[in-house]
């Protein structure tokens, strides 16, 4: 809603479950993002810069603070999940519904995109494991 008031944004984020830094930069509402390796002696910390007009500094700080991966926040997110380990579920995979069982909650593996934590890791009947990108009731 404030895109036209943002003249320039730039920063580096240290993200949970990411080996590289998340680099973002933008002008107004056009933004680019990517992961880049940390420098050997670079401090692994997040840095945010916003240049604009009539920006609410407190609201920006609050919004980013809510994104920080704290043990309390992760526990709250896990509490909101609908299924428990061992529950039987149906997974839409490659256009077909397959039965499976929840084997882990709040899962991350090296084969997943950097920074992603999936709500569930599911073991399918054929023995393969897949991760669910979201915990949604809609099809």
């Amino acid at each position: 809603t404030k895109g036209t008031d943002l003249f320039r944004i730039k920063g580096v984020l240290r993200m949970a479950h990411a080996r590289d830094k998340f680099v973002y930069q933008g002008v107004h509402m056009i933004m680019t993002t990517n992961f880049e390796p940390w420098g050997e002696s670079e401090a692994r910390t997040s840095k945010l810069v916003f240049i604009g007009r009539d920006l609410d500094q407190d609201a920006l700080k609050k919004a980013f603070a809510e994104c920080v991966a704290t043990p309390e926040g992760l526990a709250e997110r896990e509490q909101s999940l609908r299924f428990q380990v061992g529950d039987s579920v149906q997974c839409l995979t490659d256009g077909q519904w397959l039965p499976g069982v929840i084997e882990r909650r709040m899962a991350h593996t090296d084969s997943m995109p950097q920074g992603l934590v999936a709500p569930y890791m599911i073991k399918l009947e054929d023995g393969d494991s897949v991760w669910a990108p979201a915990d949604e009731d809609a099809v």
Side-chain angles (χ1 to χ4, degrees):
T1 60
K2 299 287 285 178
T4 56
D5 291 333
L6 282 171
F7 304 143
R8 184 98 166 89
I9 57 174
K10 188 172 186 172
V12 173
L13 297 175
R14 178 180 179 209
M15 296 179 67
H17 304 289
R19 71 184 166 281
D20 297 328
K21 61 186 173 185
F22 183 76
V23 179
Y24 69 93
Q25 55 186 331
V27 177
H28 294 291
M29 292 180 278
I30 300 169
M31 191 162 162
T32 60
T33 63
N34 61 306
F35 283 98
E36 295 178 7
W38 290 98
E40 193 171 305
S41 61
E42 184 176 4
R44 285 166 167 68
T45 184
S46 296
K47 304 172 201 167
L48 312 167
V49 176
F50 297 86
I51 301 170
R53 77 172 154 238
D54 299 324
L55 301 179
D56 185 339
Q57 184 176 358
D58 291 334
L60 287 169
K61 284 182 178 180
K62 182 178 184 282
F64 275 95
E66 289 171 355
C67 296
V68 173
T70 64
E72 298 81 16
L74 294 172
E76 185 177 314
R77 183 171 172 209
E78 186 168 1
Q79 286 276 324
S80 73
L81 297 178
R82 295 177 296 149
F83 301 110
Q84 302 300 318
V85 171
D87 285 354
S88 296
V89 294
Q90 293 284 320
C91 302
L92 182 59
T93 305
D94 295 328
Q96 61 182 344
W97 289 97
L98 301 174
V101 175
I102 303 293
E103 62 179 348
R104 274 181 36 211
R105 292 163 36 117
M106 301 303 290
H108 177 80
T109 67
D110 290 340
S111 65
M112 296 167 70
Q114 290 192 66
L116 177 72
V117 176
Y120 306 106
M121 185 67 67
I122 302 164
K123 179 153 309 261
L124 301 175
E125 276 189 347
D126 66 6
D128 287 344
S129 289
V130 297
W131 50 271
D135 182 9
E136 296 177 347
D137 201 19
V139 177

